[in-house]
Amino acid sequence: DAAGHPLLNRVDPALGRRLAALGCELVWATTWMQDANSCLAPWLGLPPLPVVEWPDEDEPPGLLHWKTRPLVAWAAGRPFVWVDDELTEADRAWVAAHHPEPALLHRVDHRYGLTDADFTTLREWLVRGGCGAS
């Protein structure tokens, strides 16, 4: 039961409509893995989405977020937006040096989740041609 998941009460169900309205392909890049489709997607009113599968690697902690390299590999040279609450300048610099297309790495405050200001930033980047959305 999606409503019984302990973290769902922190997620505004209206975010699904707002995310879908961005006009980009949405993908789960979360540690929820496939649970994102069984719990989050119905809660948000979204269809099942592709899920980035994380490698089973035990790399020593470094400056880069552990998702950075796998997400760039998943993007396969395509423009992309990554919204996360743990992004750093090291991730942005690495993506800029290793990814040939535009990429927006947007950090959100975990205390508030996606805000109106975050959606403004995402829409403005898309309108400027980031992912070809209008």
Side-chain angles (χ1 to χ4, degrees):
D1 180 29
H5 195 284
L7 295 177
L8 280 179
N9 65 351
R10 296 178 62 194
V11 179
D12 179 358
L15 290 175
R17 175 185 42 79
R18 295 183 78 184
L19 288 166
L22 291 173
C24 280
E25 174 189 7
L26 299 175
V27 176
W28 298 119
T30 174
T31 57
W32 287 48
M33 303 291 291
Q34 289 297 335
D35 285 346
N37 278 323
S38 60
C39 292
L40 278 174
W43 181 262
L44 295 170
L46 294 172
L49 302 173
V51 176
V52 175
E53 300 291 335
W54 306 115
D56 289 328
E57 296 178 1
D58 290 327
E59 289 188 28
L63 292 176
L64 288 183
H65 192 288
W66 60 269
K67 292 180 183 176
T68 305
R69 287 182 182 93
L71 280 174
V72 168
W74 176 87
R78 298 171 292 179
F80 73 98
V81 173
W82 175 17
V83 177
D84 204 299
D85 64 346
E86 297 179 346
L87 291 166
T88 67
E89 288 306 315
D91 300 304
R92 288 184 184 94
W94 194 91
V95 171
H98 295 90
H99 186 68
E101 291 295 324
L104 172 64
L105 280 63
H106 182 72
R107 185 178 178 128
V108 296
D109 188 323
H110 71 277
R111 297 171 295 176
Y112 307 110
L114 283 165
T115 65
D116 289 342
D118 295 316
F119 275 99
T120 297
T121 298
L122 299 175
R123 280 191 306 275
E124 287 175 355
W125 189 83
L126 294 169
V127 166
R128 286 193 314 267
C131 285
S134 55

